[in-house]
Amino acid sequence: MRLDVSGPVRLPPACPGLRVGLYGGSFNPAHLGHRHVSRVALRRLRLDRVWWMVTPGNPLKDRADLASIEARVAEAQAIAAHPRIVVTAFEDRIGARYTRQSLRYLVARYPTVRFVWIMGADSLATFHRWAGFREIADAMPIAIIDRPGFTLTGPAARAARVLDRWRIAETDAGLLPDLDPPAWVFLHGPRSHLSSTALRARG
């Protein structure tokens, strides 16, 4: 699948050497758990920014109850409320369907930015099902944030076993953005029980 890059694509500003965490998801809806993960990543990975990448939709999930991307972006901006968290929906503009396409695009656009892919331990459990998960791991370092119920099962997941030789010690997390991929770290600590699925069911 070729990306549509024929017109201008608005991306958050970035400069050489900037340390940027990329946190992708449907954000349907965004909630304080997303903000918690981002603040942990900013602190523990010594990041300059975290970009929330609001996706058109997850290929592995039902899109029947997916709010419009405009509504999800607006809500994400209201929830983020942090000077170093930026919300972007560029994936919709370029027509990216898979994460690997988006990361490839960003690395080509910003070759001197130190990107880190951020995801929750619940996503690590199914990471092996993502299209080209090895390509994602080869594109940039990965930070896994602990989630309730996945403290043990996340690191034991299929993708984690495949990538085990490139896992770094948690005490070295601040070095992650400067490492060449593949490299990843699992960050323990306070966990958020909030989830978009639960919030939709409740509302």
Side-chain angles (χ1 to χ4, degrees), residues 10 52-56 69 73 87-94:
R10 289 197 300 177
W52 287 8
M53 293 166 42
V54 181
T55 68
I69 196 160
V73 166
V87 180
T88 175
F90 80 91
E91 289 178 294
D92 185 57
R93 173 62 189 85
I94 67 175

Side-chain angles (χ1 to χ4, degrees), residues 23-31 34 52-55 72 75-76 196:
Y23 190 21
S26 300
F27 294 93
N28 188 44
H31 52 72
H34 295 129
W52 287 8
M53 293 166 42
V54 181
T55 68
R72 288 181 284 129
E75 188 161 27
S196 296

Side-chain angles (χ1 to χ4, degrees), residues 30-35 52 74-82:
H31 52 72
L32 291 177
H34 295 129
R35 192 172 188 270
W52 287 8
E75 188 161 27
Q77 289 172 331
I79 290 292
H82 192 289

